[in-house]
């Protein structure tokens, strides 16, 4: 995540924090995007890139990577304009 923040020139706009256990280990690494509260799982680096480009920058939910049991927000997301 931090590499993607740097690659996309989002340092100071987006913050990527390391977290401890989020109680969903069975799905692999967890990513939670705030303020929306969208939960994703990421099995590969390509998944992280997709979340960053589509959700963080583009304002689109990445349906295929949504964490089971966590509903996406009902409101539309706004694209990020760095």
């Amino acid at each position: 995540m931090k590499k993607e923040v740097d690659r996309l020139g989002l340092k100071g706009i987006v913050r990527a924090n390391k977290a401890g256990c989020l109680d969903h280990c069975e799905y692999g690494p967890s990513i939670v995007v705030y303020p929306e509260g969208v939960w994703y799982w990421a099995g590969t680096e390509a998944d992280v890139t997709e979340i960053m480009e589509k959700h963080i920058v583009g304002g689109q939910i990445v349906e295929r990577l949504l964490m089971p049991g966590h509903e996406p927000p009902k409101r539309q997301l706004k694209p990020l304009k760095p």
Side-chain angles (χ1 to χ4, degrees):
M1 290 295 292
K2 291 182 180 188
K3 288 180 187 177
E4 285 297 305
V5 169
D6 289 341
R7 182 184 72 84
L8 294 167
L10 299 174
K11 194 167 185 161
I13 299 168
V14 171
R15 184 174 177 179
N17 289 337
K18 182 178 179 180
C21 179
L22 298 175
D23 294 327
H24 293 299
C25 297
E26 66 272 23
Y27 301 112
S30 301
I31 296 170
V32 186
V33 180
Y34 291 107
E36 298 94 354
V38 177
W39 285 68
Y40 291 109
W41 65 275
T44 67
E45 288 184 25
D47 292 339
V48 173
T49 298
E50 186 174 357
I51 292 166
M52 290 296 294
E53 290 177 352
K54 289 185 178 173
H55 183 127
I56 303 298
V57 175
Q60 300 172 2
I61 297 291
V62 184
E63 297 282 339
R64 72 177 193 86
L65 295 174
L66 286 173
M67 182 80 65
H70 292 273
E71 292 292 320
K74 303 256 185 262
R75 62 184 169 87
Q76 188 172 1
L77 305 178
K78 292 182 182 180
L80 182 64
K81 297 181 183 177

